[in-house]
Amino acid sequence: MPQEIEPKWQQIWAERGVMKASDSSPKPKFYDLVMYPYPSGDLTVGHARNYVMGDVLARMKRMQGFEVLHPFGWDAFGLPAENAAMKRGNIHPETWTLGNIAKGKAELKMMGILYDWDREVTSCLPDYYRWTEWLFLLMYERGLAYRAMAPVNWCPVDKTVLANEQVINGRCWRHPDVEVEKRDLEQWFFKITDYADRLLADLALLDKWPNKVRVMQTNWIGRSEGAEVEFPVVGLEGEVVRIYTTRPDTLFGATFMVLAPEHPLVERITTEEHRARVREYVEKARKETEIERQSTERAKEGVATGGFAINPVNGEKIPIWVADYVLITYGTGAIMAVPAHDERDFEFARTYSLPIREVIAPDDGPSDTLREAYVGPGRLVNSGEFSGLDSATAIDRICEWLQAQGKGKRAVKYRLRDWLISRQRYWGCPIPIVYCSVDGIVPVPLDQLPVVLPKEYKPLADNPSFWKTTCPKCGEEARRETDTMDTFVDSSWYFLRYTDPHDATRPFDPELANHWMAVDQYTGGVEHAILHLLYSRFFTKVLHDAGLIEVSEPFMRLFNQGMVKRFGQVMSKSLGNGVSFDELVAAQGADAGRIYEMFIGPPEEDVEWTDAGLNGVSRFLQRVWRLVLEPEKIVVEGSGADASALSRKVAQTVGKVTEHFDELRFNTAVAALMELANTMQDYLQRGGERDERWVGAVRTLVKLLNPLAPHVAEEMWERLGEKGMLADASWPVYDAAVAAEPRLTLVVQVGGRVRDRLTVEPGLSEADALAAAMGSDKVRGALNGRGPSKVVYVKDRLINLVP
RNA sequence: GCCGAGGUGGCGGAACAGGCAGACGCGUCGGUCUCAAAAACCGAUGUCCGCAAGGACGUGCGGGUUCGACUCCCGCUCUCGGCACCA
């Protein structure tokens, strides 16, 4: 197999513009998207797995007659560029980034991965980020971008704030060893919480997403239903503590209240006598890290404020405490404590000898609420007029009562918080806002976009030539916003830019976006199960509401590929276990590498890269080459070649491979092709004729191999044409007619009950089908010792079967 | 603790609207070629008994349904992922 065929075909594909997507093609569209990468410059064959999958799918869909949009781009803003710049002295982040992009692009081409490079998107270039700024202003205009002072997560290493989604177990997502700090800062937020209900509800539409991802998003959004209730504070006229509870049926069991240490009422409620201790406690809580505070292991501690509140349902006077097991960030930052029916409250009550009153009796026997909290539903006791009701009814009734009395109302809460998008970094998309002492916050007018990132690499706040400006409204001196945006803002809409990448007047043409959207297949790592996918869904919904796009969900089908490991660790250049594209192509060629990436294991699983495995795939390709172009070299070693078995195998393989490709089960698709090659080899070894049937098998093998090993397949196809073995030597088209040939199913009934189904060869006569059915173990087993039975064609044609 | 996904040869893994378990590949063993080795090619390869024909046992464990269970049901167990004081 000659080596030089790879550059040859890569050049031909480029010249022919094979992967250029036409906006006006009459063919059905297929939008095949891979998550655009951060150009870190350490691309290995591990990363390539994702791109090979996308390419195989794109090539297959093209062969099947789709107009395929298969674009690529770069998530080019972000911290690693700044870190590299710092480490290497005077390299500008842009130089570093664009250099890596050029390198990465060449490597992808080397693997025969085809994109419509005319649509390439690079998020750090002004012709892209201009529209990121534009979209920020759209958010602002729609009331979805706001500036607020809030306790935010601060990464002390990256020296910037982080979104909630970027904090994992209280640590920075980029530095698993570094705990984030809480700081009170005024920052920009996107109001993603306005979309919480829709982001949750529409998950139901995404039935082609991995269940795992949908569950993760559901949990992240964290909807809960309950009630907000107001407890008047004793001695403070008109002042109430508002609490949120999911169990209004336990209201009569509230024996105390707890405020989060940060709760604004703490100071006012605390009595003189308790002030010193409360202040000390609040101070201590503030100093603790999130990790310490959020540990469920640790004992619950708190202090009494000396203040009291009135339980609105029974007028009871109950003490108000402060404890850090109540979070200021969830609900109202205050709770009613029902120790008999909440484990946390129970633990707290036991620690401080607070009263425990049972108000829910379990349906199945007595509970012992002095030993442990009963958290399940049951029948209300000790609950005044509501006693005797079951939990569900009581929740309804009590909510109605609260509402009627003006003391509370039903409420829905989410765990999801607004998306903090400010970053105190240079290498990001500028936030197009100006602060004027007269006009306040002033958005940069659309015709003044983009706010260009200055060439000089230093903090924007230290660069007066950047931030010194004039107010767009009044013309007085003003100051620009010097924070940049989270790079996840850039990536929340790039899939839309691909549909209209050169538009100089808007982010995208709605008509083009509507033509290509939604993405039919989206492939990328599961690490974005929440972050990127949630943000992109949010953006899409906002754009939908703004009338810019018809779809309200961006990605119809999602696939998360597993990682490639070597020596037990994820492949990476810095760990020294990476295999580069050059090494791979030099060792066994791009096609062997591509097939190996697909064959190495189930696409969603993590896999271990071995050179021996790659070698095996290489042998397979060599064998195919011999079978297709040099069959005379195969030594005849036996007899009894079965031509009809060969034909059957060919038909079977077409069906299998098509199915497996469609389901992205590339490993079994490759296995099916290997089986076909083995059968073909066996056929020749047994002295099979190289007749029309043989040529048919050869053609099928080459066609099916094309998406996986395009260089070799194209070369073989061309040479077959030269040998006169093809009626038409043009670009191979997937034989949809063969692929779609329906299989005939017999339904086996025994005693009127469907016992089994049996797939038989298509094209059989009724008698032959019957004979086939009777001859199968499946049917014989089903009929074993049974009475009169019958076999039924799926389309209501009955055949009597005599056992 | 809660939620989710999984346990199949020496290894990665196939098969599953119930029907010949172990496809395909790796590895190992034997052979061809070679002075030799590697590569390549050909063949064997679940375990146990047997010279063989053949037989027994086999999909984490224990039950169940069925003519028939890796597949369905019930109960365990272990592994991996996610979330976790969310009131």
Side-chain angles (χ1 to χ4, degrees):
Chain A
M1 194 165 33
Q3 281 282 309
E4 65 275 16
I5 63 173
E6 290 179 3
K8 168 186 163 183
W9 285 102
Q10 283 163 19
Q11 198 189 336
I12 291 174
W13 294 330
E15 283 165 4
R16 288 188 192 156
V18 164
M19 211 37 90
K20 275 197 201 335
S22 160
D23 294 324
S24 55
S25 168
K27 296 178 188 172
K29 68 95 185 180
F30 190 89
Y31 191 170
D32 175 17
L33 184 66
V34 291
M35 289 183 187
Y36 77 162
Y38 184 81
S40 61
D42 76 338
L43 209 56
T44 69
V45 297
H47 306 96
R49 195 174 181 211
N50 185 9
Y51 309 134
V52 173
M53 276 182 207
D55 191 60
V56 170
L57 192 68
R59 287 172 181 270
M60 182 198 67
K61 286 291 170 187
R62 272 189 62 81
M63 286 170 72
Q64 288 179 335
F66 287 88
E67 186 66 28
V68 175
L69 175 56
H70 189 220
F72 203 74
W74 310 92
D75 187 13
F77 273 135
L79 263 171
E82 292 198 57
N83 293 340
M86 280 187 279
K87 230 192 260 171
R88 306 236 210 114
N90 283 330
I91 291 189
H92 192 280
E94 183 176 44
T95 314
W96 184 84
T97 303
L98 296 181
N100 287 342
I101 287 175
K103 213 170 118 207
K105 208 165 155 178
E107 287 175 324
L108 290 165
K109 289 182 178 173
M110 192 187 283
M111 286 291 283
I113 296 168
L114 292 181
Y115 294 109
D116 185 348
W117 286 107
D118 290 349
R119 293 174 186 261
E120 181 180 8
V121 148
T122 306
S123 67
C124 68
L125 297 180
D127 68 352
Y128 182 86
Y129 72 69
R130 170 178 186 177
W131 304 113
T132 307
E133 293 175 5
W134 190 97
L135 289 164
F136 174 93
L137 294 173
L138 179 79
M139 291 281 183
Y140 184 76
E141 197 182 295
R142 298 181 69 80
L144 293 167
Y146 67 94
R147 194 169 157 80
M149 177 69 94
V152 297
N153 305 299
W154 174 269
C155 173
V157 173
D158 286 341
K159 299 201 176 7
T160 184
V161 297
L162 300 169
N164 285 313
E165 289 79 6
Q166 290 163 338
V167 179
I168 295 155
N169 291 333
R171 298 165 206 267
C172 173
W173 66 313
R174 298 178 33 81
H175 307 98
D177 304 330
V178 177
E179 291 186 21
V180 300
E181 298 165 10
K182 282 283 179 195
R183 291 198 178 182
D184 288 317
L185 292 171
E186 199 172 330
Q187 300 284 303
W188 281 97
F189 292 84
F190 280 163
K191 217 169 178 179
I192 193 170
T193 50
D194 270 12
Y195 284 76
D197 52 346
R198 282 166 66 190
L199 288 167
L200 184 69
D202 287 355
L203 283 172
L205 306 174
L206 304 176
D207 57 333
K208 287 175 185 156
W209 279 35
N211 187 42
K212 180 184 177 183
V213 175
R214 289 191 300 176
V215 169
M216 282 168 73
Q217 292 215 355
T218 303
N219 292 341
W220 187 261
I221 295 167
R223 181 191 152 97
S224 79
E225 284 178 29
E228 276 187 14
V229 187
E230 295 183 348
F231 286 61
V233 180
V234 174
L236 289 176
E237 200 57 41
E239 199 63 80
V240 296
V241 175
R242 268 175 59 238
I243 61 101
Y244 171 73
T245 177
T246 53
R247 293 293 302 273
D249 55 324
T250 64
L251 258 165
F252 286 83
T255 51
F256 59 102
M257 303 188 78
V258 185
L259 305 182
E262 300 88 348
H263 197 283
L265 282 178
V266 169
E267 273 290 306
R268 295 195 52 209
I269 286 173
T270 303
T271 57
E272 273 320 310
E273 164 187 8
H274 290 79
R275 192 165 304 279
R277 284 182 54 209
V278 168
R279 278 192 178 158
E280 187 190 340
Y281 179 78
V282 168
E283 199 42 47
K284 187 175 140 228
R286 274 196 72 85
K287 278 192 189 138
E288 286 184 329
T289 66
E290 284 296 289
I291 293 179
E292 286 164 347
R293 273 194 64 168
Q294 305 240 330
S295 165
T296 49
E297 319 278 281
R298 124 194 127 124
K300 299 210 171 359
E301 282 182 10
V303 288
T305 60
F308 288 83
I310 302 295
N311 186 338
V313 292
N314 56 11
E316 199 176 352
K317 190 173 143 192
I318 57 177
I320 303 172
W321 286 63
V322 175
D324 65 2
Y325 79 91
V326 174
L327 308 174
I328 188 65
T329 46
Y330 185 78
T332 59
I335 62 157
M336 65 169 187
V338 185
H341 306 293
D342 181 283
E343 282 163 12
R344 297 153 299 182
D345 298 343
F346 179 84
E347 190 189 330
F348 196 78
R350 292 304 290 263
T351 306
Y352 295 102
S353 304
L354 292 158
I356 297 168
R357 183 194 308 139
E358 180 179 31
V359 290
I360 305 287
D363 293 328
D364 53 355
S367 64
D368 182 0
T369 48
L370 290 179
R371 272 191 50 232
E372 58 177 356
Y374 172 71
V375 297
R379 203 152 288 278
L380 271 67
V381 294
N382 300 324
S383 296
E385 59 182 289
F386 301 101
S387 293
L389 297 174
D390 63 89
S391 290
T393 315
I395 288 174
D396 284 343
R397 294 279 188 80
I398 290 175
C399 285
E400 282 160 26
W401 185 87
L402 285 168
Q403 193 119 23
Q405 299 284 316
K407 291 174 174 175
K409 58 176 186 201
R410 288 181 180 279
V412 172
K413 296 284 176 202
Y414 298 92
R415 186 182 170 282
L416 183 71
R417 317 279 156 67
D418 279 340
W419 175 13
L420 167 50
I421 60 145
S422 302
R423 294 293 180 274
Q424 290 70 47
R425 305 300 316 191
Y426 164 82
W427 192 233
C429 178
I431 296 174
I433 288 289
V434 168
Y435 301 102
C436 169
S437 53
V438 182
D439 297 305
I441 294 174
V442 183
V444 174
L446 295 182
D447 58 14
Q448 289 176 28
L449 296 184
V451 173
V452 180
L453 205 58
K455 280 287 163 203
E456 193 183 354
Y457 174 46
K458 69 171 173 182
L460 295 179
D462 300 343
N463 189 344
S465 73
F466 174 77
W467 58 256
K468 265 194 182 169
T469 187
T470 52
C471 171
K473 262 194 189 160
C474 66
E476 291 297 312
E477 274 204 2
R479 187 186 165 94
R480 276 192 199 288
E481 170 65 63
T482 54
D483 284 351
T484 52
M485 287 185 230
D486 183 0
T487 57
F488 280 97
V489 179
D490 309 330
S491 57
S492 292
W493 72 282
Y494 77 107
F495 46 91
L496 291 165
R497 185 65 178 174
Y498 282 142
T499 66
D500 186 18
H502 306 295
D503 201 320
T505 61
R506 53 195 163 176
F508 54 88
D509 178 350
E511 220 171 282
L512 289 172
N514 287 337
H515 171 66
W516 288 109
M517 290 296 284
V519 172
D520 295 282
Q521 176 65 54
Y522 196 24
T523 312
V526 72
E527 66 273 18
H528 289 115
I530 293 172
L531 290 152
H532 163 60
L533 291 170
L534 191 67
Y535 297 150
S536 295
R537 294 181 61 220
F538 164 58
F539 257 63
T540 302
K541 288 183 191 307
V542 173
L543 292 168
H544 170 87
D545 290 354
L548 292 172
I549 186 167
E550 278 166 15
V551 296
S552 58
E553 281 293 336
F555 314 125
M556 291 314 293
R557 193 160 102 156
L558 174 71
F559 186 80
N560 299 125
Q561 87 284 358
M563 289 180 296
V564 179
K565 300 182 169 185
R566 194 161 176 238
F567 310 131
Q569 276 185 306
V570 175
M571 228 189 237
S572 96
K573 269 191 188 158
S574 54
L575 285 174
N577 66 344
V579 176
S580 73
F581 287 53
D582 320 38
E583 289 173 75
L584 176 68
V585 170
Q588 304 284 4
D591 284 344
R594 291 169 59 105
I595 298 185
Y596 184 49
E597 298 255 16
M598 298 298 93
F599 183 62
I600 187 167
E604 69 280 7
E605 298 289 331
D606 290 352
V607 290
E608 175 77 16
W609 182 279
T610 64
D611 294 341
L614 176 62
N615 213 35
V617 168
S618 192
R619 271 200 291 271
F620 162 67
L621 268 186
Q622 297 283 353
R623 169 179 296 191
V624 169
W625 183 270
R626 268 199 311 278
L627 283 169
V628 171
L629 296 173
E630 303 158 351
E632 63 282 355
K633 287 191 183 167
I634 308 268
V635 182
V636 177
E637 286 178 335
S639 60
D642 184 348
S644 73
L646 177 66
S647 299
R648 239 178 296 132
K649 191 70 179 180
V650 170
Q652 204 183 68
T653 307
V654 174
K656 263 194 196 172
V657 171
T658 307
E659 211 176 301
H660 292 174
F661 273 166
D662 274 334
E663 290 163 11
L664 307 181
R665 289 158 56 210
F666 300 107
N667 55 327
T668 48
V670 175
L673 286 171
M674 287 174 166
E675 275 187 66
L676 176 60
N678 290 347
T679 302
M680 288 170 69
Q681 166 125 353
D682 187 59
Y683 173 80
L684 286 189
Q685 283 178 344
R686 289 172 183 275
E689 289 291 323
R690 302 213 298 274
D691 56 8
E692 213 19 69
R693 278 195 196 199
W694 169 258
V695 174
V698 165
R699 274 198 224 115
T700 302
L701 178 61
V702 176
K703 277 187 190 182
L704 295 180
L705 196 62
N706 187 300
L708 291 159
H711 311 88
V712 173
E714 294 266 24
E715 182 68 23
M716 290 192 298
W717 193 255
E718 190 180 75
R719 293 189 185 200
L720 284 175
E722 286 164 4
K723 288 184 171 191
M725 288 173 74
L726 302 172
D728 171 14
S730 63
W731 177 275
V733 172
Y734 215 85
D735 200 337
V738 179
E741 184 155 17
R743 277 184 265 173
L744 188 58
T745 305
L746 298 179
V747 180
V748 181
Q749 287 191 355
V750 176
R753 182 182 145 208
V754 174
R755 292 303 296 257
D756 224 318
R757 283 152 221 267
L758 173 75
T759 305
V760 297
E761 291 284 312
L764 286 187
S765 72
E766 208 165 276
D768 288 346
L770 183 62
M774 287 308 289
S776 84
D777 289 348
K778 211 171 171 178
V779 173
R780 272 207 309 269
L783 295 179
N784 183 25
R786 302 275 148 169
S789 307
K790 55 199 170 186
V791 172
V792 195
Y793 274 112
V794 266
K795 286 178 186 166
D796 297 335
R797 284 171 62 205
L798 306 181
I799 303 177
N800 289 318
L801 249 192
V802 185

